[in-house]
Amino acid sequence: MQEELFLPLPKEDAPERMVRPSTTYWQDAWRRLRENRGATVGLVVIALICLFAIVGPYFSPYSYSDQSLIRANRPPSKANWLGTDNLGRDIATRLMYGARISLAIGVFASLINLTIGVVYGGIAGFFGGQVDNVMMRVVDILYGIPSLLYIILLMVVLGPGFGNILIAIGLTEWLSMARIVRGQILAMRGQDFALAARCLGASRWRILFRHLIPNSVGPIIVTATLTIPQAIFLEAFLSFIGLGVSAPMASWGVLASDGLAGIRSYPWQLLAPAFAISITMLAFNFLGDGLRDALDPRLRS
Amino acid sequence: MKTRLVSLVLALVLVIGGIAGAERAAEQVIRFNLGTEPETLDPAKSTGVPEARIELNVFEGLTRLDADDLPQPAIAEKWEISEDGLRYVFHLRKSSWSNGDPVTAHDFEYAWKRALAPETASQYAYQLFYIKNGEAYNAGEVTDPNLVGVKALDDYTLEVELEAPTGYFLSLVAFPTLMPVNRKVVEADPNGWFMKPETYVGNGPFKVTKWVHNSYMELEKNDLYWDADSVIVDKLVATLIESEDTELVMFETDQLDITHTVSRPEIPRLKKEGLLKVTPNLGTYYYIFNCKAEPLDDVRVRKALSMAIDRQAVTEYVTRAGEIPALAWVPPGIPDAEPGAEFREVGGDMLEENVEKAKALLAEAGYPDGKGFPTLTILYNTMEMHKAIAEVIQEFWKKNLNIDVRLNNQEWGVYLNSRDEGDFQVARAGWVGDYIDPMTFMDMHVKDGGNNDSNWSDPEHDRLIELAKTSNDPAVRMKAMHEAEAIILEQLPIMPIYYYVEPFLEKDYIKDVIYSSLGFIDFKNAWVAKH
Amino acid sequence: MGRYIVRRLLSMLLVLWVIATVTFVLMNLVPGGPFASEKPLPEAIKRNIEARYRLNDPFWKRYIDYMGNILRWDLGPSFKYEGRTVNDIINSGFPVSAVLGVTSVALALLLGIPAGILAALKQNKWPDTLAMLAATIGVSVPSFIMATFLMYIFAYKLRWLPAALWGRPSQVILPALALAGFPAAFFARLTRASMLEVLGEDFIRTAYAKGLSTPAVIARHALKCALIPVFSYLGPLLAQIMTGSFVIEKIFAIPGLGQHYVTSIYNRDYTVILGVTVFYSILLVTLNFLVDLGYVLLDPRIKLAEPSS
């Protein structure tokens, strides 16, 4: 293809008259998101979970660390509606505190995905050639180096702490997204609508961010929501190494991992955090699907 | 009336049957879970319990430990000990290797010198440092192997000279590091002879016939073992399953007959169902105080901390398998000087738990009601049980002394490094005995000792340990060690929490397996009853 | 295309070198050593061991030794498992992990893709809801919880299947299912999402307009494009899952390669760390390369070599 074919036409001075107030892409998306029933349900559930995490502890008679050894491993009851753990702590209260950590980590990981992952993969796929080769080989390198090694090193250098979990997650959690977005962009950049936009004089960045990425929004959102449970359990693993939040505070992932050992005798110790994670995931998926529909440029009316 | 008579007769028959012993099953196979892949099955080099569990059934040393952990004649039929306790002469029975070669005194001499040789680089060589020049030879200070105090006087007489009188030497020779090896086989493939069933030649009741790495091993009866007539089991299957949960499922669904490392949360249920068995284990779970770090450099603070916890609660609610609250350092199960006496019983409990006294001590140290006391950090390596114990102790210190405690867990390698470098305030630790004598616990707190991580030392304590190490008089030795233990528990560089036990599951039809308090398992006389 | 492939192969070698070097540096920075234990060794013994395993050689010398080993594909002895070489560990572990991995990826594709297509075609109707509900649970429940559940139900309660170990076909089922759960759910969601996108495209409308039946449109036109995201993820997934899963192998006592990636690091078993990392990386870059070539087959409009114009 020859470059001349794509020279933009000179812009006309007098634009056509608007027939109705213009709405931007994002305004439009927000309106459609509000109208989507699934997305609304998802949002409400997420809001409720956040409320549970933030306000819940103030209404609980227990703290996450209050032990009562004689009441250890009690099944759900009036006093402890989700039962107690191995040291007689109230599981419901521990879930509330755990939600703070796990939600924050899940959301953070999604954001990392949606920013670093999408932009990185988008650029690699769009520019292709040597740029793509170099950028994707960097991703290969990050995939290849055993993450456990640098996680242990991070632990040694930084010690335990919430911020340090975020660093570890930020380092690893965007790689799959980058590969998926890059594949999508690679496939779409030669398609008609991209060429059309180019003909109309759109800049490369505009094509990438306004045309190509919105057109891959489905896989992007699926991957981003999927990161949430992955990050929640990655955090449990980081806690295991010693990088996480120190006991007796425990995230959902840690609660679930700890509960697993007693699955036969005290199933509620596993089921409570597992349900919490699943419900959160369902809500994020509903929201994600709604977002997908809202952001899909073809569905714009 | 008649039916009652019948049932009475029936009951009688059952009782008699029970006394006479249940009948043997036709298939004599025992499936037990070894747990982890053995790091090596070369007895000179192995250090762990899983390895020893295989080696003790494949090899036999000069002695073999009985059900009470006492050494009984094995390859050595009899022995003489010199007056000063420094020279042993062992008379060996005629026996053979699993490849038919005779087992001779030369095999022992070769095996022991090989374990000590610097180029072998055995981690457990120190099990042989009791032998004259053993340590010097290992360190390269003595290069002539002939100077090492072990010598075959002829094919069936072995002479051993020791550095110092060692009362427990006869049980040491039952341990893996001191097992004989077949020179011909070892020299043919020094680094791999133990990997293949064909070359893994032993002299014990069983021989390895299959080893699928990270999965399972099979051992079969060794017909050439000198006492093969008393070996009943034909085959042992040792699975290498690391998940506690999986081994429990396999036990309960009859895919395994014996398992160890019982999943803690399941212990109450297994107890209730009568499945749980417990065997003593020579070990103490404790916390190390870094005696150089403020405020732990004050003995009153250490005492207050030790007095303010409830060890009974830890064993009852957290560990749950029947562990014994440790109110002293050396665990029960070790004989004292007097025949029949037991070191722990003689020494008695030496620590006190008393919250009021603890508060008073803390106030005396300058922290009334915990005021001004800096935040303490407990370091532990990541494990569910260590975490639970640390959480409970954190709560005791908070509640009873009003001290803020932070918990810090680290991955095993990092944790060991922190401990070694003294980079901690309070650290979780465990010590398991290498042999059945108080010394295996007592010699670790000496100044500059490799295992002394508390930065504490006391000249009088060190003098007593030295005395105990050089004396040939059991009464003097034990007295010195009791006194040294009293010093440790007065100064508290460490805080004992509980004495280990080993919970395990064993099907009722498995009979006469010997579980040693050192963690060993002996299947020599085991058998399977009809079921 | 030929030039692209040559260039790509060269850059893959560079990637492997960087991974090996960074891993070597990192593992030497991590505190602890292969012979550390709660019972520290006497000095003399420590010296003997360090001499035997050449742990005291200068950093650069060990680096050159290790790189030489990799080039000769003679990865050296394990520090932890006496008598086993890294090559032995890979040769015996990889086939097991690969069988399990390929089985579970196949399972995941067979379950996930049809479910995703069905869900997209019946968008917002009950098959969609059902499939996506299952998929959500699939991604929320990590493999180690799934494995415990499956074992609890099929080995403990129902006693249909053996709980663990490896060798018989019946022993593959539970671990393969546990491993397949997450990718199957992810595939289902990815397929549904991109299918919905593709179904809105002009060429699909054209195909329908030509009078093609739905199955024909899906098979001939839509699926190819819709599978691109699945395909993109397949490279790293296959590399990961074929080299084994630490938790699954632990839970089911499977003698695969996966456990060595983690335990070698816990053990500070340096030769094994480096060996298995390089092995995994070779697989990874090769599969990613094949995936890239596959894009072109899947969609002829995709050009890899061409710089953007």
Side-chain angles (χ1 to χ4, degrees), chain B residues 99-121:
Chain B
N99 67 353
D101 294 349
V103 176
T104 68
H106 297 282
D107 291 323
F108 282 90
E109 183 185 342
Y110 170 72
W112 293 10
K113 285 182 177 170
R114 173 174 173 267
L116 278 171
E119 56 274 15
T120 307

Side-chain angles (χ1 to χ4, degrees), chain C residues 88-306:
Chain C
D88 288 342
I89 287 174
I90 293 174
N91 292 345
S92 67
F94 179 64
V96 174
S97 293
V99 166
L100 178 58
V102 170
T103 312
S104 50
V105 172
L107 212 60
L109 289 169
L110 285 176
L111 286 171
I113 292 175
I117 296 172
L118 187 74
L121 290 176
K122 307 267 177 208
Q123 195 187 358
N124 296 331
K125 296 197 186 93
W126 70 264
D128 180 26
T129 316
L130 198 71
M132 288 307 112
L133 203 68
T136 305
I137 291 166
V139 291
S140 320
V141 179
S143 60
F144 67 95
I145 291 182
M146 187 80 94
T148 309
F149 258 126
L150 289 171
M151 192 190 289
Y152 181 67
I153 295 166
F154 293 103
Y156 186 72
K157 282 278 167 211
L158 301 172
R159 303 202 182 192
W160 288 353
L161 291 166
L165 299 176
W166 187 256
R168 277 174 287 140
S170 60
Q171 287 164 329
V172 185
I173 301 172
L174 290 183
L177 277 175
L179 269 179
F182 176 85
F186 187 35
F187 286 157
R189 292 200 59 88
L190 268 183
T191 309
R192 175 182 179 271
S194 60
M195 199 74 187
L196 283 176
E197 232 135 73
V198 172
L199 289 178
E201 298 262 2
D202 297 338
F203 70 91
I204 297 294
R205 278 182 227 151
T206 316
Y208 273 116
K210 283 196 297 189
L212 283 179
S213 65
T214 306
V217 173
I218 301 290
R220 267 189 243 159
H221 300 277
L223 201 53
K224 270 185 171 180
C225 292
L227 285 186
I228 284 177
V230 171
F231 206 59
S232 303
Y233 181 64
L234 208 55
L237 176 75
L238 262 177
Q240 247 161 40
I241 219 166
M242 276 173 73
T243 48
S245 152
F246 170 66
V247 269
I248 295 298
E249 285 175 15
K250 282 262 144 124
I251 292 175
F252 293 104
I254 294 168
L257 191 53
Q259 49 192 302
H260 294 289
Y261 290 92
V262 179
T263 45
S264 68
I265 294 178
Y266 288 149
N267 290 335
R268 313 292 192 265
D269 196 344
Y270 298 129
T271 42
V272 181
I273 298 177
L274 202 65
V276 295
T277 299
V278 170
F279 179 74
Y280 162 69
S281 303
I282 291 174
L283 209 65
L284 176 81
V285 294
T286 312
L287 282 165
N288 278 344
F289 176 47
L290 293 177
V291 164
D292 279 1
L293 292 181
Y295 281 139
V296 182
L297 294 178
L298 215 55
D299 187 343
R301 286 175 301 178
I302 295 180
K303 304 258 183 316
L304 290 165
E306 178 199 64

Side-chain angles (χ1 to χ4, degrees), chain B residues 32 47 78 143 167 224 303 316 319 360 384 392 484:
Chain B
F32 71 106
T47 57
K78 55 184 196 296
T143 45
L224 293 177
K303 268 192 175 162
E316 205 174 317
T319 62
E384 186 52 26
V392 168

Side-chain angles (χ1 to χ4, degrees), chain A residues 152 156, chain B residues 411-418 420-421, chain C residues 26-37 55 265-270:
Chain A
I152 292 178
V156 173
Chain B
E411 179 264 352
W412 178 243
V414 179
Y415 151 85
L416 285 178
N417 199 59
S418 304
D420 203 39
E421 310 254 295
Chain C
L26 287 178
M27 75 188 189
N28 278 288
L29 286 175
V30 167
F35 300 102
S37 93
L55 288 165
I265 294 178
Y266 288 149
N267 290 335
R268 313 292 192 265
D269 196 344
Y270 298 129

Side-chain angles (χ1 to χ4, degrees), chain A residues 43-142:
Chain A
L43 262 180
V44 168
V45 173
I46 291 167
L48 285 176
I49 295 171
C50 290
L51 203 71
F52 171 80
I54 298 163
V55 186
Y58 297 106
F59 291 94
S60 166
Y62 313 98
S63 135
Y64 64 90
S65 61
D66 282 350
Q67 296 172 10
S68 168
L69 293 176
I70 39 167
R71 286 147 48 86
N73 297 317
R74 295 266 173 94
S77 65
K78 251 193 197 136
N80 310 94
W81 55 281
L82 289 177
T84 62
D85 73 357
N86 62 334
L87 300 180
R89 294 172 296 200
D90 181 52
I91 291 180
T93 311
R94 285 173 70 71
L95 269 186
M96 293 175 196
Y97 282 94
R100 297 176 175 185
I101 306 167
S102 294
L103 283 179
I105 281 172
V107 169
F108 173 80
S110 298
L111 289 179
I112 287 284
N113 256 305
L114 287 174
T115 50
I116 303 182
V118 170
V119 172
Y120 194 97
I123 292 174
F126 185 63
F127 289 92
Q130 278 304 77
V131 176
D132 173 51
N133 198 12
V134 171
M135 289 179 83
M136 292 325 284
R137 295 301 76 74
V138 171
V139 170
D140 283 354
I141 290 171
L142 288 175

Side-chain angles (χ1 to χ4, degrees), chain B residues 332-460:
Chain B
I334 300 177
D336 204 291
E338 294 296 318
E342 206 241 307
F343 187 85
R344 188 68 279 138
E345 268 172 30
V346 174
D349 287 344
M350 297 160 107
L351 291 176
E352 194 188 351
E353 287 176 356
N354 186 329
V355 176
E356 289 317 309
K357 266 193 194 169
K359 282 180 173 162
L361 275 167
L362 200 66
E364 208 181 297
Y367 309 101
D369 194 31
K371 275 192 200 81
F373 200 89
T375 303
L376 266 190
T377 304
I378 299 177
L379 172 71
Y380 62 97
N381 57 299
T382 312
M383 218 180 110
E384 186 52 26
M385 201 174 75
H386 299 333
K387 178 165 84 175
I389 291 171
E391 285 172 331
V392 168
I393 286 178
Q394 175 187 40
E395 183 85 351
F396 281 132
W397 286 348
K398 174 79 207 166
K399 209 171 59 195
N400 296 338
L401 299 176
N402 197 23
I403 290 174
D404 281 323
V405 180
R406 237 199 336 251
L407 305 185
N408 183 14
N409 67 310
Q410 290 180 344
E411 179 264 352
W412 178 243
V414 179
Y415 151 85
L416 285 178
N417 199 59
S418 304
R419 237 181 90 174
D420 203 39
E421 310 254 295
D423 188 11
F424 67 93
Q425 288 180 301
V426 183
R428 168 268 122 186
W431 188 261
V432 188
D434 284 324
Y435 46 85
I436 300 180
D437 188 89
M439 189 54 85
T440 188
F441 287 85
M442 291 310 301
D443 69 354
M444 64 180 285
H445 302 291
V446 294
K447 192 172 196 306
D448 297 325
N451 305 323
N452 183 357
D453 290 331
S454 61
N455 286 316
W456 172 89
S457 66
D458 181 279
E460 175 60 12

Side-chain angles (χ1 to χ4, degrees), chain A:
Chain A
M1 276 184 266
Q2 289 166 304
E3 192 65 25
E4 305 87 87
L5 287 176
F6 295 95
L7 282 181
L9 291 166
K11 276 185 184 163
E12 285 174 36
D13 285 340
E16 286 166 53
R17 204 168 54 86
M18 295 283 184
V19 286
R20 62 169 186 180
S22 83
T23 51
T24 66
Y25 170 69
W26 297 107
Q27 282 170 336
D28 221 32
W30 173 239
R31 180 180 56 75
R32 267 180 288 141
L33 187 64
R34 272 176 306 167
E35 283 166 10
N36 185 309
R37 203 152 39 105
T40 318
V41 171
L43 262 180
V44 168
V45 173
I46 291 167
L48 285 176
I49 295 171
C50 290
L51 203 71
F52 171 80
I54 298 163
V55 186
Y58 297 106
F59 291 94
S60 166
Y62 313 98
S63 135
Y64 64 90
S65 61
D66 282 350
Q67 296 172 10
S68 168
L69 293 176
I70 39 167
R71 286 147 48 86
N73 297 317
R74 295 266 173 94
S77 65
K78 251 193 197 136
N80 310 94
W81 55 281
L82 289 177
T84 62
D85 73 357
N86 62 334
L87 300 180
R89 294 172 296 200
D90 181 52
I91 291 180
T93 311
R94 285 173 70 71
L95 269 186
M96 293 175 196
Y97 282 94
R100 297 176 175 185
I101 306 167
S102 294
L103 283 179
I105 281 172
V107 169
F108 173 80
S110 298
L111 289 179
I112 287 284
N113 256 305
L114 287 174
T115 50
I116 303 182
V118 170
V119 172
Y120 194 97
I123 292 174
F126 185 63
F127 289 92
Q130 278 304 77
V131 176
D132 173 51
N133 198 12
V134 171
M135 289 179 83
M136 292 325 284
R137 295 301 76 74
V138 171
V139 170
D140 283 354
I141 290 171
L142 288 175
Y143 260 127
I145 299 167
S147 55
L148 182 54
L149 271 182
Y150 54 80
I151 286 170
I152 292 178
L153 268 180
L154 272 178
M155 208 286 302
V156 173
V157 178
L158 302 173
F162 185 70
N164 306 331
I165 308 174
L166 299 187
I167 294 177
I169 285 175
L171 276 171
T172 46
E173 279 299 288
W174 53 273
L175 301 174
S176 305
M177 178 67 97
R179 270 200 68 80
I180 286 170
V181 172
R182 176 249 185 193
Q184 287 292 99
I185 303 295
L186 210 57
M188 277 188 305
R189 65 171 184 184
Q191 285 186 14
D192 303 341
F193 70 94
L195 294 177
R198 187 109 179 81
C199 292
L200 290 170
S203 75
R204 287 178 177 190
W205 297 106
R206 194 182 159 79
I207 296 173
L208 176 58
F209 289 106
R210 292 302 302 276
H211 297 277
L212 294 179
I213 288 178
N215 269 292
S216 335
V217 82
I220 289 177
I221 283 177
V222 166
T223 312
T225 44
L226 172 105
T227 314
I228 294 169
Q230 270 189 317
I232 287 176
F233 283 102
L234 177 62
E235 187 275 334
F237 180 67
L238 296 179
S239 292
F240 182 82
I241 301 297
L243 191 65
V245 177
S246 294
M249 181 72 89
S251 65
W252 286 354
V254 171
L255 289 174
S257 311
D258 288 357
L260 194 62
I263 181 176
R264 266 172 247 99
S265 300
Y266 323 110
W268 62 90
Q269 292 177 354
L270 168 66
L271 291 178
F275 267 123
I277 294 170
S278 297
I279 287 171
T280 310
M281 267 312 288
L282 270 177
F284 273 104
N285 274 325
F286 274 129
L287 178 65
D289 282 347
L291 265 179
R292 193 202 72 83
D293 291 342
L295 294 176
D296 192 335
R298 278 179 305 265
L299 295 175
R300 219 178 154 194
S301 55

